[in-house]
Amino acid sequence: MYSFIKKNAGFTAVIILLVLFIQFIQNSLFLSFKELGKWLMEKESGPFIISHFKVFLLLIWFLGIIYSKRLFQSSIIYKIFFLLSLPFLMYAWNLKLRVMPLYNLAKERGDKVGKVYINDNVFGYTHAPFSTGYRQLGEGDIIIHHDAEGFRIPVNFVHSGKRPGFLVLGCSVSYGDACRAEKTFPYLLSKSMNGDYFNASVSGYGLSQMVLKAEKYINEKHPDYVIVQYSPWLADRSKTYYQNFLGGKFPIPYFSKKGLEMPVFSPKGLKMPLADFKNTPNNTWDFSKFYLKVTPVLAYQDINSMITRIKSVLGIIPKPLNDNEKLRNMATTEFIRPVKGIMPE
């Protein structure tokens, strides 16, 4: 042990001095050149540039003290371990940077957003049945509530089953993201017609998810009217494999040249324990526990995304359609099909 410490003492001292010097230079730059510091902070990757370099130095130190020329030449297991250490540790650091915003979200609004959404193998994600959460409206919050199907309803609302029945399909616009459920147009429309309604809209949805919701709920609910939101961004959201939502990246249904395609792998990006960490102590140990719970989900996404990229290049899975007009025409055809199925002869 003594010889190990003696051997690496000088190298360790050099790394420590370099890290301290970089920290001093960083602080001096931010204090002396405020505009430069402000510019760096405004850049998405700015705050991490120097931090990345310091971590790189620490990784060099770690590899330096564990390196053994004799073992490297004589042991294949040690050689593999040594060569994989750097990319593994760099990836672990990358995960840490991705986990930090999620941890901050958990502390700020984990109890308000963490239990509303769940992943779904068909839609990518949807509302959890009977879920309750909050939306920011101005400086305050409003309660959002969902029924057994995940449809948005006012608190204590009970479906009457009266006719006419309305099925509403769309994104946050039709969901009513910035208003109370009693002020959304689906609710007001059904009330004015003395009927019932099913608001199947979900924030962030695109045409592909709306089509699948139509196929499912037109057959189940037999509405008298189907109201479909038409906005240009709905097509854009349906010509990609993935969607980023609440910090998670997961596959969603999309349109290819062949038609509507299901998610390329089982989505798990919303399996984030945000609500569980809202009121826990904000310290390193708490972050470590959060990190260990979240990183398997991120690693699952990264591995499957890499496999999906390979499959896409090899033509094993269809590529997303990049023609909005064709995509909208396909979606229109898909919307009409379930409606024809319930129309009287």
Side-chain angles (χ1 to χ4, degrees):
M1 177 62 72
Y2 175 75
S3 61
F4 174 81
I5 295 174
K6 184 179 179 181
K7 175 185 175 183
N8 295 289
F11 178 60
T12 301
V14 170
I15 294 295
I16 291 174
L17 288 173
L18 279 173
V19 171
L20 291 175
F21 178 73
I22 291 169
Q23 184 66 42
F24 172 76
I25 292 296
Q26 177 184 355
N27 294 338
S28 299
L29 279 174
F30 276 83
L31 288 174
S32 303
F33 303 98
K34 293 182 180 180
E35 289 303 315
L36 173 62
K38 182 180 178 182
W39 179 80
L40 282 172
M41 290 302 293
E42 288 175 350
K43 294 295 179 182
E44 185 176 351
S45 58
F48 303 122
I49 294 174
I50 299 178
S51 180
H52 267 84
F53 187 64
K54 288 188 289 186
V55 169
F56 179 75
L57 286 175
L58 293 175
L59 289 176
I60 294 296
W61 168 80
F62 174 77
L63 294 176
I65 64 172
I66 68 170
Y67 176 73
S68 167
K69 185 177 180 180
R70 181 180 59 83
L71 287 174
F72 192 83
Q73 292 176 342
S74 61
S75 173
I76 186 66
I77 295 177
Y78 177 82
K79 186 179 292 185
I80 293 172
F81 165 76
F82 184 84
L83 293 175
L84 292 180
S85 293
L86 183 58
F88 175 80
L89 292 172
M90 291 297 289
Y91 180 64
W93 175 251
N94 175 269
L95 288 175
K96 183 260 183 185
L97 298 179
R98 291 158 61 188
V99 168
M100 183 60 76
L102 296 172
Y103 183 69
N104 293 334
L105 178 63
K107 293 302 179 187
E108 294 170 5
R109 299 186 63 80
D111 57 332
K112 297 182 177 181
V113 300
K115 295 183 177 180
V116 173
Y117 299 99
I118 55 173
N119 280 123
D120 185 274
N121 287 333
V122 175
F123 307 118
Y125 69 101
T126 189
H127 298 127
F130 301 113
S131 57
T132 298
Y134 298 84
R135 281 285 195 280
Q136 281 185 301
L137 184 61
E139 296 181 357
D141 290 311
I142 57 173
I143 296 176
I144 54 173
H145 188 65
H146 307 95
D147 64 14
E149 305 282 358
F151 302 146
R152 189 182 183 188
I153 56 172
V155 177
N156 298 322
F157 177 87
V158 177
H159 289 286
S160 65
K162 293 181 179 179
R163 295 291 182 177
F166 298 88
L167 174 65
V168 183
L169 304 161
C171 66
S172 57
V173 175
S174 300
Y175 178 82
D177 222 18
C179 62
R180 303 179 187 279
E182 298 86 347
K183 298 294 184 180
T184 60
F185 81 80
Y187 174 83
L188 294 173
L189 177 61
S190 65
K191 185 179 179 181
S192 67
M193 299 285 287
N194 195 32
D196 199 1
Y197 81 110
F198 310 102
N199 190 352
S201 307
V202 180
S203 297
Y205 264 21
L207 284 175
S208 57
Q209 291 145 316
M210 291 163 58
V211 165
L212 291 168
K213 288 269 185 177
E215 291 177 353
K216 176 177 174 61
Y217 292 115
I218 288 174
N219 291 321
E220 290 184 8
K221 302 299 181 183
H222 299 282
D224 299 288
Y225 298 95
V226 179
I227 301 173
V228 179
Q229 178 186 330
Y230 181 80
S231 302
W233 56 83
L234 297 176
D236 293 328
R237 292 174 179 172
S238 299
K239 56 182 186 180
T240 176
Y241 291 131
Y242 307 106
Q243 180 162 355
N244 294 310
F245 194 75
L246 285 182
K249 175 186 175 183
F250 44 84
I252 57 172
Y254 66 98
F255 280 95
S256 72
K257 291 181 179 180
K258 297 179 180 180
L260 187 58
E261 308 285 349
M262 291 297 100
V264 288
F265 59 87
S266 179
K268 301 184 186 298
L270 286 175
K271 288 190 174 182
M272 307 287 182
L274 301 179
D276 297 341
F277 282 80
K278 172 64 175 74
N279 298 312
T280 55
N282 192 342
N283 53 39
T284 302
W285 174 244
D286 186 63
F287 175 78
S288 299
K289 291 191 291 184
F290 185 81
Y291 179 92
L292 292 174
K293 285 181 176 290
V294 171
T295 49
V297 177
L298 298 179
Y300 168 85
Q301 294 169 186
D302 291 342
I303 292 169
N304 281 282
S305 296
M306 182 173 60
I307 294 172
T308 298
R309 190 176 299 114
I310 295 171
K311 287 182 176 179
S312 179
V313 171
L314 296 176
I316 298 174
I317 57 174
K319 293 182 179 180
L321 180 65
N322 198 30
D323 187 320
N324 281 18
E325 185 177 354
K326 288 184 179 179
L327 195 152
R328 283 191 289 266
N329 290 337
M330 284 185 177
T332 301
T333 301
E334 295 293 335
F335 278 125
I336 293 173
R337 184 176 293 114
V339 174
K340 285 184 174 179
I342 64 170
M343 288 178 65
E345 296 292 339

